[in-house]
Amino acid sequence: MRVFQDSWTMFKRCLTATLRNPEAFGAAIIAPAMVMFLFGTIFGNVMDVGYVNYIDFIVPGIILQTVAQGTISTAISVNNDLHKGIIDRFRSMPIAKSAVLNGHVLASVMRNILTTAVVIGVAIAIGFRPQAGILDWLVIAGVFILFMFALTWISVIAGLAAKAPENTTGMLFLLFILPFLSSGFVPTESLPNWMRGFAEHQPMTPIIDATRSLFLGHPPGNSLPIAIIWSTGIIIVATIFSIQIYKRKLS
């Protein structure tokens, strides 16, 4: 029970820090919204993916890219805490050691949920017409939130491992590339053979395929359980690594 209370306290601390920097928070929301707008309007009229409008096709990929972008601030915040002495102060207090990392993760997921909602709102404004029912929306939300936790724990690893805040961006660069090397923006069938194999078997593709099918009111098929397995596995592995690095840093 103590760890939950301390994690909640650290979550409120991180959220307060976000609200005290409205310029950065606003930019983190506006940038993905502009990406959604530009892809939906500029490429929407020229891209042909066959069975569906391009705006309906790209929304899941834009969302995952948005989540990946949101991990940068988390990695930087963790790194700042580590190198500016605040974690040393927390060690002198009677709080659970894992609460600091838990607070960062929960705040990051909350920020990503808000940004994702804005992106979906922009998509609907420019022509996105989801056919999902209430249950479909709940499953979509669950899949995205699960993957938010997965990417956030990866960002925690980057924040703990980087020697300086600016180094975290380079360490997370692959997360921004993966949506392009998936089914997020074009069908995998249209990719070169050497790239297609990777695109079809990397973790973002089943997540995109599952949520896209649910958005369109179609059965997600095998992509849904594969997406859940990928996200859960990443969370477990990344959490273990984060805790081990954190303990080593504290010692």
Side-chain angles (χ1 to χ4, degrees):
M1 180 62 68
R2 179 60 179 273
V3 67
F4 293 110
Q5 294 176 344
D6 293 344
S7 297
W8 178 252
T9 300
M10 292 296 105
F11 162 72
K12 291 189 291 184
R13 166 187 172 259
C14 294
L15 209 58
T16 300
T18 298
L19 296 176
R20 288 179 177 175
N21 191 4
E23 295 85 0
F25 185 45
I29 294 177
I30 293 174
M34 289 301 299
V35 171
M36 182 72 257
F37 178 79
L38 293 174
F39 268 87
T41 54
I42 296 177
F43 297 105
N45 296 324
V46 297
M47 294 293 292
D48 182 12
V49 292
Y51 66 97
V52 65
N53 292 332
Y54 191 62
I55 181 66
D56 296 327
F57 185 87
I58 63 171
V59 169
I62 296 292
I63 290 175
L64 291 197
Q65 195 175 52
T66 297
V67 174
Q69 179 180 336
T71 62
I72 294 180
S73 61
T74 303
I76 292 175
S77 296
V78 171
N79 191 270
N80 281 331
D81 279 358
L82 189 64
H83 291 102
K84 291 186 176 181
I86 188 65
I87 289 181
D88 290 332
R89 292 189 62 187
F90 288 147
R91 289 177 62 189
S92 65
M93 301 177 184
I95 63 174
K97 293 182 179 179
S98 62
V100 177
L101 299 185
N102 293 339
H104 281 291
V105 170
L106 292 173
S108 177
V109 171
M110 181 62 67
R111 289 192 298 267
N112 272 318
I113 289 174
L114 177 59
T115 307
T116 298
V118 172
V119 168
I120 293 176
V122 172
I124 291 174
I126 61 177
F128 178 47
R129 296 295 178 263
Q131 304 298 317
I134 295 177
L135 181 59
D136 294 331
W137 276 105
L138 292 176
V139 176
I140 290 169
V143 172
F144 280 140
I145 291 173
L146 192 65
F147 198 60
M148 287 175 191
F149 274 102
L151 291 193
T152 302
W153 277 110
I154 292 176
S155 74
V156 169
I157 294 177
L160 292 172
K163 294 184 179 180
E166 56 270 18
N167 295 342
T168 58
T169 302
M171 298 177 68
L172 296 172
F173 180 72
L174 182 61
L175 297 183
F176 309 125
I177 299 299
L178 285 180
F180 292 103
L181 302 178
S182 70
S183 61
F185 296 90
V186 295
T188 55
E189 294 81 5
S190 66
L191 297 173
N193 290 333
W194 61 271
M195 188 183 298
R196 179 177 176 180
F198 175 80
E200 291 179 344
H201 296 92
Q202 62 122 318
M204 289 193 179
T205 292
I207 295 170
I208 290 170
D209 290 343
T211 52
R212 179 186 292 132
S213 296
L214 291 167
F215 273 134
L216 299 176
H218 301 156
N222 293 333
S223 58
L224 180 59
I226 295 175
I228 294 174
I229 291 172
W230 263 115
S231 297
T232 304
I234 292 173
I235 290 173
I236 293 173
V237 173
T239 302
I240 292 174
F241 269 94
S242 297
I243 293 174
Q244 292 302 316
I245 296 173
Y246 187 58
K247 287 181 178 179
R248 189 161 61 247
K249 292 289 184 177
L250 293 182
S251 62

